[in-house]
Amino acid sequence: MKTYVALLRGINVGGHKKVPMAILRELLTEIGFQNVQTYIQSGNVVLQSSEENTKAIEAKIHKVIESHFQFEVPVLVKTKEELEFIFKNSPFEEDKKVKSYFILLQDTPSKELIEEASKKEYKTEEFKITNACIYLYNEAGYGKSKFNANYFERMLETAATARNYNTMVKLLSLSK
């Protein structure tokens, strides 16, 4: 059994796309995942599966949510090792890292798209795009940022979802 972290995008925000975590855990257990744990209401799931293909896991979770709740939710799945690598390779010094956001990417964007997205700058913001993650720092916080997951999804042509430092720490802890 391998440990995976599934990140659901855009649930339980402003009363839209409500997905109770207890029901989600039950649904995922019913379709064969084991040791399913959730963290806060924003769609963070740690689970175990014998499935080796993260795309197959994404599809399975997507399908059960759509079937049960009658709406679509983008799902990104990373292995525990992938999440650890992303976390450890933040380009920011510790003081900025603890206030940064990790915008996780579903697919690796092309070099051309990365170059184009990297051209835009704002004085109060820093970001670095890698194959699997965009590391974003804004002293005022994500809510005040000119950059967000929507911007990078459009520019990089892949699904993305953001998590703050504390959520990443907790997900890594739960996945051990």
Side-chain angles (χ1 to χ4, degrees), residues 5-172:
V5 177
L7 305 164
L8 284 58
R9 181 161 191 266
I11 65 164
N12 300 330
V13 179
H16 303 303
K17 294 189 177 181
K18 291 184 180 184
V19 177
M21 294 299 102
I23 293 173
L24 181 62
R25 286 191 300 273
E26 186 178 307
L27 290 171
L28 295 179
T29 301
E30 285 174 6
I31 61 170
F33 295 114
Q34 294 184 9
N35 301 315
V36 179
Q37 304 171 72
T38 56
Y39 173 65
I40 62 179
Q41 297 298 308
S42 58
N44 303 292
V45 183
V46 176
L47 53 82
Q48 291 184 319
S49 176
S50 58
E51 175 63 62
E52 298 277 331
N53 184 332
T54 57
K55 295 295 182 200
I57 295 170
E58 288 173 357
K60 200 171 178 181
I61 294 170
H62 182 271
K63 183 178 177 182
V64 76
I65 291 171
E66 184 177 25
S67 174
H68 185 84
F69 295 104
Q70 305 299 305
F71 53 76
E72 290 196 23
V73 172
V75 178
L76 281 75
V77 172
K78 300 290 183 192
T79 65
K80 172 181 75 163
E81 294 78 16
E82 288 172 321
L83 207 64
E84 286 172 344
F85 180 84
I86 288 168
F87 185 76
K88 289 178 183 173
N89 286 284
S90 172
F92 301 124
E93 296 293 326
E94 197 63 25
D95 63 323
K96 286 185 179 179
K97 183 178 177 179
V98 299
K99 296 178 180 176
S100 69
Y101 281 79
F102 300 77
I103 302 175
L104 299 141
L105 305 175
Q106 188 163 49
D107 299 306
T108 301
S110 71
K111 288 184 190 264
E112 295 79 23
L113 292 175
I114 290 173
E115 286 175 17
E116 188 62 32
S118 297
K119 289 179 181 176
K120 194 156 194 153
E121 293 181 20
Y122 294 102
K123 288 182 183 183
T124 61
E125 301 185 45
E126 297 175 48
F127 69 91
K128 179 180 181 191
I129 303 171
T130 67
N131 288 342
C133 181
I134 301 158
Y135 301 95
L136 175 66
Y137 171 78
N138 179 343
E139 191 171 313
Y142 189 75
K144 304 262 189 215
S145 179
K146 303 266 190 215
F147 295 114
N148 58 36
N150 290 333
Y151 168 78
F152 288 114
E153 278 184 325
R154 282 192 310 277
M155 293 300 292
L156 301 175
E157 299 176 3
T158 184
T161 188
R163 296 299 186 269
N164 67 24
Y165 174 88
N166 292 333
T167 298
M168 293 288 285
V169 168
K170 184 64 176 183
L171 290 173
L172 289 169

